[in-house]
Amino acid sequence: MDDDKERFLKEFGEHYGYPNSPKNIDQIRSSEFKRLEQIVYLDHAGATLYSESQMEAILKNFTTNVYGNPHSQSDTSSATSDLVRSARQQVLEYCNASPKDYKCIFTSGATAALKLVGEAFPWSKESCFMYTMENHNSVLGIREYALAKGADALAVDVEEIENRNGHPRSDQSSLKLSQRSTQRRSGTGIQEDNITTSSLGSAYNLFAFPSECNFSGMKFSLDLVKLMKEDSERVLEGSPYSSGRWMVLIDAAKGCSTQPPDLATFPADFVAISFYKIFGYPTGLGALIARTDAAKLLKKTYFSGGTVAASIADTDFVRRREGIEESFEDGTISFLSLASLHHGFRIINNLTLNAIDRHTSCLASYVRKMLLALRHGNGAAVCTLYGDLTKMSSCEWGPTISFNIKRPDGSWHGYREVEKLASLSGIQLRTGCFCNPGACAKYLGLSHIDLLSNFEAGHVCWDDNDILDGKPVGAVRISFGYMSTFEDAKKFISFLVNSFVSLPISSVKDYLSSRESMPSSSEDGHLTAITVYPIKSCAGFSVDRWPLSSTGLQHDREWLLRSASGEILTQKKCYDKEVDLWFTNAIGRPCTLLRCFPSENRCFVDENRNVGVCRDVDCKLNFVNEAQLLLVSEESVSELNRRIISNLKKGSNEQPVNLDPMIFRPNLVISGAEPFAEDNWRSLIIGKAYFTSLGGCNRCQMINLDPHTGHVRISKEPLATLASFRRLKGKIFFGILLRYENRDAVEGLKDNEDSAPLIQVGQRVYPELRVE
């Protein structure tokens, strides 16, 4: 056992590893999650993982039993109905809810459960929908139903009231709701003249909060349930809604994985849960646990198969089923998914929820402490953690941590940079705002003006715009599950230290000394290879000489393949029907071969069909990503190979990678210059052709593909090593982008092979250095 783990166990050993369960954590990982040997999975808040024995039990169940549609009276249908009843009971027991007081309505997920409440709630112009800032978009969406009915909506912050000694009180009286501005929807056609104090007092209002914030990991006090149902006049003092009839909705999609709400103690009206967040499988299945009295107030409009006792097709007659579950479960429920729940709950029950909560919480506590302790060489903090870690001392924290990383000068590393480098190290995490805009804006300090400006600048969910106006627009999130280990946590901390903690000054000097000891060579060289790639992202062919055109190398990236849906086909993810069919068969999906006519081209379209402006906006372009040409140096490739070999740990089973320049898909390869001398070239001449350098080429996972097969290599190289010394402002550079300056071209004259200038292998390369 290493020293780090020994120190960890000394502090957390009582809570770590399930010592009282049939299997401890090491046995669970080795027998149930062998697929995680090379992966550190840290996105359990997004989706936790299913175990091998769980799936084996499900398969055995399906192959030995016959389950029919439950909307019938056959034996197989009756077996399914029994299974559904058992599943409802398990879900209610999971939240300690009595079947006399609560009903379990199965839905397609937690989002569908929340939507059901929103669309069926008895909204009126006197109603109010109130919710905490730290709510998922699926909760915020309920606002649309409320506003459309003329109701008000407002966000609140939950605060603690301290006693005279400066410590939080221990009961629900310690909680205070700080209200933000009220939202109203104009143009609903609803008259407000008749709204009175008495009508406000009789209206139904809805308060929503998450049991655990999926952004920060903070667990909300379930005392909020009793607070709103029993003490709304005090907590909403001065508000016209203080005397209204308040109902409470808990979004437990995240919190249910470690600490489901105890509904016997905290009788919320509605609880939304999602099963793949708890035990990984099945996806697409959730539930709404509804208090019986509250469920009877929901007003459902639509009816469907399974929800009616009788209906007539050619007249306005329908009688709905009286059972609450039956009246809300439209169509045939996902009964095979329901058959899988038992096997997931069996795992949770064997480990026990209390043990899972303690195990995951101690891992998160350890990582929080380590992140807060990380320092750069100049003493500056490396990580900024989100969530009020100091004031809300009485609250608990779930196994979720969100943070951002700073450079020694105080500027930010973009979260997408962290995500890309983590992926190269076999670490899977999540970045962005996690569909929680309120928490994101609150903890990152983004004003309404910031958010609108970011949107107008083109920022949307899941894009690569992670830093705007010097501020992060999202965060990095890691989260632990019941099968997470100390080794997962340690590998993650090591990754951060190796990738983002600045070296002490002495180490920098050692690095510079090693660079000075390298043999020097001339600043120029000669052209050793020319490659043309006629079809974007397909293989190229080598030539000894080739004509230049107004778009760079003639016919380079002049064609691309597009799927039937419009997706641009690349290795990362028309002429006639015969040609299209050939490519369709070769690729295994319908596609069309398109040719570019570059007279007006000033942009590129990536594989996600996003249009972006190329770096080179002053010349004609084919289907290139940023510029006409890419140049790499053989000496730079050799230096990269040297670093990869030196980075291999002794005793590692990983084989050294001997990189060929062609993995970078260059148009031009040169030799004879010092490694990375091309970084400082402003322009260059090859033969009689003049080229302008547009700067370094930002590299991605494409260079980890085998250029001959198109398959991803098991190795994380070369991108991982490049990231260790060629990273600038979140981008990883290798090679330079060029624009051919066609100085002798006549405006409007079409390029042709007879008149076009040529470049040829063996020609000298004469660079012009940048002047700083």
Side-chain angles (χ1 to χ4, degrees):
M1 183 184 300
D2 62 26
D3 293 341
D4 292 332
K5 188 167 186 178
E6 190 171 345
R7 285 191 292 270
F8 168 80
L9 291 177
K10 186 175 182 180
E11 182 175 0
F12 299 105
E14 181 183 355
H15 306 295
Y16 176 77
Y18 313 110
N20 299 320
S21 298
K23 291 182 180 179
N24 63 34
I25 184 61
D26 293 329
Q27 293 169 326
I28 291 172
R29 280 294 287 263
S30 62
S31 63
E32 302 283 359
F33 296 93
K34 294 187 284 291
R35 62 189 186 276
L36 294 182
E37 286 183 5
Q38 303 297 323
I39 296 176
V40 176
Y41 185 82
L42 296 176
D43 188 25
H44 296 274
T48 199
L49 303 174
Y50 51 80
S51 72
E52 293 181 18
S53 64
Q54 178 184 354
M55 300 309 294
E56 289 170 358
I58 292 170
L59 179 60
K60 183 178 180 181
N61 183 7
F62 288 170
T63 55
T64 56
N65 294 290
V66 178
Y67 297 112
N69 190 312
H71 296 167
S72 183
Q73 298 297 316
S74 67
D75 290 344
T76 56
S77 297
S78 297
T80 303
S81 297
D82 291 341
L83 180 150
V84 172
R85 281 191 289 271
S86 176
R88 293 193 205 279
Q89 182 61 32
Q90 278 189 302
V91 175
L92 292 176
E93 289 175 356
Y94 192 70
C95 292
N96 195 22
S98 167
K100 294 181 180 179
D101 300 322
Y102 285 90
K103 304 301 180 186
C104 172
I105 303 166
F106 287 117
T107 63
S108 63
T111 295
L114 295 166
K115 181 184 177 186
L116 190 158
V117 174
E119 65 186 3
F121 193 80
W123 303 111
S124 69
K125 59 183 180 295
E126 296 91 5
S127 296
C128 178
F129 175 49
M130 187 168 66
Y131 51 90
T132 59
M133 279 291 289
E134 299 89 340
N135 262 302
H136 193 277
N137 269 327
S138 296
V139 174
L140 300 188
I142 295 175
R143 183 176 63 191
E144 295 300 300
Y145 292 108
L147 294 175
K149 292 290 187 179
D152 288 351
L154 71 151
V156 297
D157 294 293
V158 180
E159 300 175 357
E160 281 190 344
I161 302 174
E162 296 180 347
N163 59 26
R164 294 180 179 179
N165 297 324
H167 299 293
R169 299 174 185 172
S170 58
D171 56 16
Q172 67 190 54
S173 66
S174 69
L175 300 174
K176 174 185 177 183
L177 300 183
S178 176
Q179 301 178 35
R180 302 207 176 198
S181 59
T182 302
Q183 307 159 56
R184 292 185 177 90
R185 177 71 51 83
S186 60
T188 58
I190 295 174
Q191 300 296 321
E192 300 184 5
D193 298 341
N194 298 325
I195 299 178
T196 63
T197 303
S198 60
S199 64
L200 286 171
S202 62
Y204 287 103
N205 308 308
L206 182 64
F207 174 59
F209 70 96
S211 59
E212 180 185 320
C213 174
N214 78 319
F215 188 98
S216 67
M218 187 189 77
K219 293 182 179 180
F220 281 77
S221 171
L222 295 181
D223 282 324
L224 286 168
V225 175
K226 293 183 177 179
L227 184 74
M228 291 305 301
K229 295 180 76 65
E230 300 173 3
D231 203 13
S232 62
E233 291 192 16
R234 179 189 66 79
V235 77
L236 296 176
E237 184 179 0
S239 168
Y241 305 104
S242 60
S243 59
R245 291 186 286 185
W246 282 94
M247 305 175 79
V248 179
L249 164 65
I250 299 177
D251 175 11
K254 173 62 185 74
C256 253
S257 63
T258 55
Q259 197 174 63
D262 182 345
L263 294 180
T265 306
F266 305 100
D269 297 282
F270 308 104
V271 177
I273 65 176
S274 183
F275 297 109
Y276 76 95
K277 304 270 187 174
I278 304 173
F279 34 71
Y281 184 89
T283 58
L285 183 67
L288 175 67
I289 301 176
R291 195 169 55 82
T292 304
D293 292 343
K296 290 178 179 179
L297 296 173
L298 299 180
K299 301 175 181 179
K300 187 169 181 287
T301 302
Y302 177 75
F303 70 85
S304 65
T307 66
V308 295
S311 65
I312 299 177
D314 57 351
T315 190
D316 184 11
F317 175 84
V318 62
R319 289 294 181 268
R320 301 170 187 266
R321 290 188 179 274
E322 295 184 359
I324 290 175
E325 301 98 328
E326 295 170 325
S327 63
F328 284 102
E329 291 172 349
D330 290 315
T332 302
I333 59 179
S334 183
F335 58 88
L336 291 182
S337 293
L338 289 174
S340 306
L341 294 186
H342 168 75
H343 307 288
F345 279 121
R346 178 175 52 81
I347 293 173
I348 302 302
N349 293 334
N350 284 340
L351 294 175
T352 75
L353 271 169
N354 186 44
I356 292 173
D357 186 34
R358 289 186 286 114
H359 172 80
T360 54
S361 293
C362 74
L363 288 171
S365 297
Y366 168 75
V367 172
R368 283 193 189 96
K369 290 176 62 176
M370 296 297 290
L371 295 183
L372 290 171
L374 287 180
R375 291 291 183 272
H376 289 296
N378 65 355
V382 175
C383 298
T384 296
L385 274 64
Y386 297 116
D388 198 339
L389 297 168
T390 57
K391 292 183 179 179
M392 300 194 74
S393 55
S394 66
C395 78
E396 297 179 356
W397 294 90
T400 299
I401 307 166
S402 65
F403 62 96
N404 272 313
I405 300 176
K406 282 189 172 182
R407 298 184 178 91
D409 63 2
S411 62
W412 299 95
H413 284 284
Y415 57 75
R416 285 288 288 131
E417 175 187 0
V418 180
E419 185 175 30
K420 291 176 182 177
L421 295 178
S423 181
L424 289 173
S425 298
I427 297 172
Q428 305 302 312
L429 43 76
R430 190 172 174 189
T431 63
C433 278
F434 326 120
C435 299
N436 195 327
C440 189
K442 178 177 180 177
Y443 293 126
L444 271 61
L446 299 174
S447 66
H448 288 173
I449 294 176
D450 291 331
L451 297 173
L452 292 173
S453 297
N454 292 345
F455 178 74
E456 291 172 358
H459 173 55
V460 295
C461 294
W462 307 339
D463 66 14
D464 286 343
N465 297 317
D466 49 13
I467 303 289
L468 290 174
D469 293 329
K471 294 182 180 179
V473 299
V476 180
R477 185 185 75 183
I478 64 168
S479 48
F480 296 98
Y482 77 81
M483 74 296 295
S484 298
T485 64
F486 168 78
E487 286 71 24
D488 292 333
K490 182 178 179 180
K491 288 177 183 177
F492 174 70
I493 296 296
S494 297
F495 155 71
L496 290 185
V497 171
N498 294 332
S499 301
F500 297 101
V501 177
S502 64
L503 296 171
I505 297 300
S506 59
S507 299
V508 176
K509 289 181 178 178
D510 292 341
Y511 168 71
L512 293 176
S513 298
S514 68
R515 292 286 292 140
E516 292 173 357
S517 64
M518 293 179 60
S520 61
S521 59
S522 63
E523 287 292 329
D524 56 8
H526 62 277
L527 186 63
T528 61
I530 303 171
T531 305
V532 183
Y533 304 90
I535 302 176
K536 179 180 177 65
S537 203
C538 290
F541 63 90
S542 298
V543 294
D544 290 332
R545 61 201 304 262
W546 196 256
L548 293 163
S549 72
S550 59
T551 59
L553 293 178
Q554 200 166 66
H555 306 309
D556 187 65
R557 267 74 61 92
E558 194 166 312
W559 291 266
L560 60 73
L561 291 168
R562 187 176 68 185
S563 72
S565 64
E567 175 190 9
I568 305 303
L569 302 181
T570 70
Q571 288 188 23
K572 285 187 294 186
K573 290 176 118 175
C574 212
Y575 280 51
D576 55 43
K577 293 182 179 179
E578 184 178 350
V579 174
D580 294 341
L581 182 60
W582 188 94
F583 280 105
T584 296
N585 293 333
I587 295 176
R589 60 194 302 181
C591 59
T592 302
L593 181 66
L594 300 178
R595 188 178 187 183
C596 178
F597 294 94
S599 58
E600 299 298 329
N601 267 17
R602 294 291 185 272
C603 66
F604 69 92
V605 182
D606 66 17
E607 61 269 24
N608 296 318
R609 300 177 67 186
N610 297 318
V611 177
V613 177
C614 294
R615 198 180 309 182
D616 188 356
V617 296
D618 297 326
C619 65
K620 297 178 181 179
L621 301 169
N622 285 337
F623 292 123
V624 296
N625 281 357
E626 293 191 271
Q628 291 180 343
L629 299 153
L630 171 63
L631 176 147
V632 301
S633 154
E634 289 184 352
E635 283 73 21
S636 298
V637 175
S638 296
E639 169 64 6
L640 177 58
N641 275 321
R642 184 187 70 81
R643 288 173 175 270
I644 292 174
I645 293 173
S646 66
N647 287 343
L648 287 178
K649 297 179 180 179
K650 293 182 179 180
S652 171
N653 294 326
E654 189 171 349
Q655 296 298 316
V657 178
N658 187 22
L659 301 177
D660 183 278
M662 298 315 297
I663 73 163
F664 299 100
R665 296 179 61 82
N667 295 109
L668 309 176
V669 180
I670 65 164
S671 180
E674 183 179 351
F676 306 112
E678 63 272 18
D679 293 346
N680 297 315
W681 293 352
R682 185 175 69 178
S683 61
L684 63 150
I685 297 172
I686 303 176
K688 296 182 179 180
Y690 184 85
F691 301 87
T692 297
S693 171
L694 302 175
C697 178
N698 182 25
R699 312 315 304 229
C700 64
Q701 289 91 340
M702 186 87 169
I703 63 176
N704 282 16
L705 299 176
D706 187 312
H708 304 293
T709 66
H711 297 155
V712 179
R713 290 189 295 264
I714 296 177
S715 172
K716 61 186 178 182
E717 300 296 355
L719 200 56
T721 295
L722 277 177
S724 68
F725 78 108
R726 297 284 298 172
R727 192 169 87 242
L728 179 64
K729 298 293 184 181
K731 297 182 178 180
I732 302 168
F733 293 102
F734 190 84
I736 59 172
L737 299 169
L738 301 177
R739 177 176 67 230
Y740 167 54
E741 303 293 354
N742 190 10
R743 293 176 170 178
D744 297 328
V746 178
E747 186 70 26
L749 181 64
K750 183 179 179 181
D751 294 313
N752 62 76
E753 294 187 7
D754 295 332
S755 62
L758 298 170
I759 57 172
Q760 185 169 326
V761 170
Q763 287 178 327
R764 291 291 301 274
V765 176
Y766 301 97
E768 181 182 1
L769 298 180
R770 297 182 186 275
V771 178
E772 299 297 336

